[in-house]
Amino acid sequence: MSAKEIDGEKTRANEHQVFYGRLAALSWLHFLNDGSANFLPGVLPALLLHLKLHVGFAGTIMAALLIGQALQAVTGWLADKLGGRKFIALGILGSSISGALIGFVPSFGILIPLLVIIGISNAFFHPQALAGARRLSQERQGFGLSLFLIGGEIGRGLWPFFASLIVSNWGLRALWLMAIPALISTPLLWNALPVQSPKPHRETPIAWGEHIRPMTLLVLFSSLRALMIFGIITYLPILWHNRGYSLVESSSLISVLLVVGIIGNIGGGHLSDLFGRKRVILGAILSSTVLLTLFILIPGFWRWAILGLLGISLFATLPISLVIGQNIFPENPSLGSGIALGVSNGIGAAALILLGLVAIHVSLTGVLWTLVGVGTLATILSLTLPE
């Protein structure tokens, strides 16, 4: 090998190091953003007691937190049109600062708009960050997006546990401590964030007629999957707390589900690159439905193992559905990921209100059985998804 070829190999290696370093920085901010925006389930039992609310309001509270994510279709379009990286910073700072104020709310009427602001901030962060992660991933998009999603899933998994520790020791008002990492990291990592090129005048118009059917099927499937995830993380800690377990023990259930689910994020994206997206999605959502059934029926220690496997299977579908959404809209990948993730999460969040009615009129265990039915519908829908 000549000296010129050796220098070329070194240059390419250095470029890959830069790309993965910037992807790691983006993943860290994803950790902070999703942690700040999703720690509420870990302290929800304490918040319900503080505001003297019935357990049936849990679905409405979580719906208010998550419904703003439906705006990702709009923010994705804006991100693609305006470019840059400001939406990433705006999203993480909005989520963190608003999340820090949860412990100070005096009433249900003030809590709801604050939670909506958190959801809107989340909607600003994700489309531009997802488009940047895909670009940094280069030819290994399934694997690269999985790595990016790891940060968010760890944040969603660990921050409810951290929040429960803070509230158990110092009370709800100490939740402002959760905002400090984001306030420090965002300016420090500003230069590492990927810059999206603005596209104010799109040469290729969006072929809505071609995209509407596959995107509708994807949104329906992803909404049902989102409802399964949101329903479990909302009502399972409350069910455990009502059975006499501490706030920290109850929030640990969320951590097991979401942190172990990271294996699914990595494995799902990698397996889809090897065996095809549709096969992996079908197998994962079918496994999720079976595992949730086993979790309800089997008592004792085995529930923790089943919960971890449930997290793996549920989150194995996430990176695949994002890539499908971006591929459905090749003219505007940010819009595609915004619809696939944001609109679906918004619909799933709105359906949480209906789960609240099940909690009031049936039981918390009845909520879990309802989610088994949701998983069955999602399994059937997965057969219609585009490859």
Side-chain angles (χ1 to χ4, degrees):
M1 181 179 292
S2 66
K4 186 176 181 180
E5 291 174 328
I6 293 174
D7 290 339
E9 289 293 330
K10 289 181 178 179
T11 300
R12 284 189 288 272
N14 290 333
E15 288 176 350
H16 280 293
Q17 289 177 357
V18 171
F19 282 132
Y20 281 111
R22 295 175 66 189
L23 189 60
L26 194 59
S27 184
W28 167 250
L29 292 182
H30 196 193
F31 166 80
L32 297 177
N33 177 81
D34 281 24
S36 299
N38 294 284
F39 68 73
L40 180 61
V43 298
L44 190 52
L47 190 62
L48 290 171
L49 288 173
H50 172 68
L51 298 178
K52 299 179 175 61
L53 297 174
H54 189 276
V55 67
F57 281 94
T60 302
I61 290 173
M62 286 297 295
L65 175 69
L66 299 165
I67 197 72
Q69 295 188 25
L71 289 175
Q72 286 190 46
V74 177
T75 57
W77 176 79
L78 286 174
D80 216 46
K81 182 179 180 65
L82 301 176
R85 52 191 168 189
K86 294 184 179 65
F87 282 13
I88 299 175
L90 179 63
I92 186 174
L93 292 176
S95 298
S96 301
I97 295 172
S98 301
L101 297 175
I102 288 177
F104 295 92
V105 294
S107 67
F108 179 76
I110 296 177
L111 174 66
I112 295 301
L114 180 63
L115 296 177
V116 171
I117 292 173
I118 295 175
I120 293 173
S121 299
N122 225 3
F124 273 101
F125 175 85
H126 280 101
Q128 205 167 67
L130 282 164
R134 176 168 179 158
R135 187 165 59 254
L136 292 175
S137 303
Q138 298 182 9
E139 70 277 2
R140 300 188 66 190
Q141 293 176 359
F143 181 66
L145 278 176
S146 294
L147 290 179
F148 167 73
L149 291 169
I150 286 174
E153 297 309 325
I154 295 177
R156 291 175 62 191
L158 292 183
W159 281 57
F161 178 72
F162 295 156
S164 68
L165 286 174
I166 289 175
V167 172
S168 295
N169 287 282
W170 301 297
L172 283 166
R173 293 199 169 193
L175 286 173
W176 64 268
L177 294 169
M178 307 290 283
I180 294 176
L183 295 176
I184 295 174
S185 297
T186 304
L188 287 178
L189 297 177
W190 173 257
N191 290 330
L193 297 179
V195 179
Q196 186 172 344
S197 300
K199 300 174 183 177
H201 303 289
R202 186 170 300 281
E203 296 179 1
T204 305
I206 297 176
W208 289 102
E210 298 178 10
H211 304 332
I212 191 68
R213 183 181 182 278
M215 182 53 78
T216 299
L217 294 172
L218 179 62
V219 166
L220 288 173
F221 167 80
S222 299
S223 298
L224 292 173
R225 179 201 57 210
L227 179 57
M228 284 188 73
I229 296 173
F230 296 157
I232 292 170
I233 66 176
T234 299
Y235 285 102
L236 190 55
I238 298 174
L239 175 62
W240 242 243
H241 196 257
N242 286 354
R243 290 178 176 178
Y245 294 93
S246 70
L247 190 65
V248 174
E249 290 173 313
S250 302
S251 66
S252 298
L253 295 168
I254 307 174
S255 297
V256 171
L257 178 77
L258 299 181
V259 174
V260 179
I262 293 168
I263 299 173
N265 267 322
I266 300 174
H270 183 62
L271 290 175
S272 71
D273 291 339
L274 295 175
F275 302 111
R277 296 163 188 150
K278 195 169 180 177
R279 291 180 181 177
V280 178
I281 281 187
L282 173 60
I285 196 64
L286 176 60
S287 299
S288 300
T289 306
V290 173
L291 287 166
L292 181 56
T293 303
L294 293 175
F295 178 84
I296 299 171
L297 296 176
I298 297 178
F301 172 79
W302 289 106
R303 277 182 165 172
W304 292 92
I306 294 171
L307 195 61
L309 293 173
L310 176 59
I312 293 172
S313 57
L314 274 174
F315 289 102
T317 66
L318 184 57
I320 309 172
S321 60
L322 286 174
V323 173
I324 292 176
Q326 291 177 340
N327 286 343
I328 290 175
F329 282 89
E331 313 94 336
N332 192 332
S334 293
L335 176 63
S337 61
I339 294 175
L341 181 64
V343 173
S344 301
N345 284 352
I347 295 173
L352 275 176
I353 299 174
L354 300 178
L355 280 185
L357 297 177
V358 177
I360 293 173
H361 297 292
V362 183
S363 67
L364 290 173
T365 304
V367 170
L368 297 183
W369 280 115
T370 302
L371 294 176
V372 171
V374 170
T376 303
L377 289 176
T379 301
I380 296 171
L381 265 174
S382 69
L383 296 171
T384 68
L385 295 178
E387 181 63 46

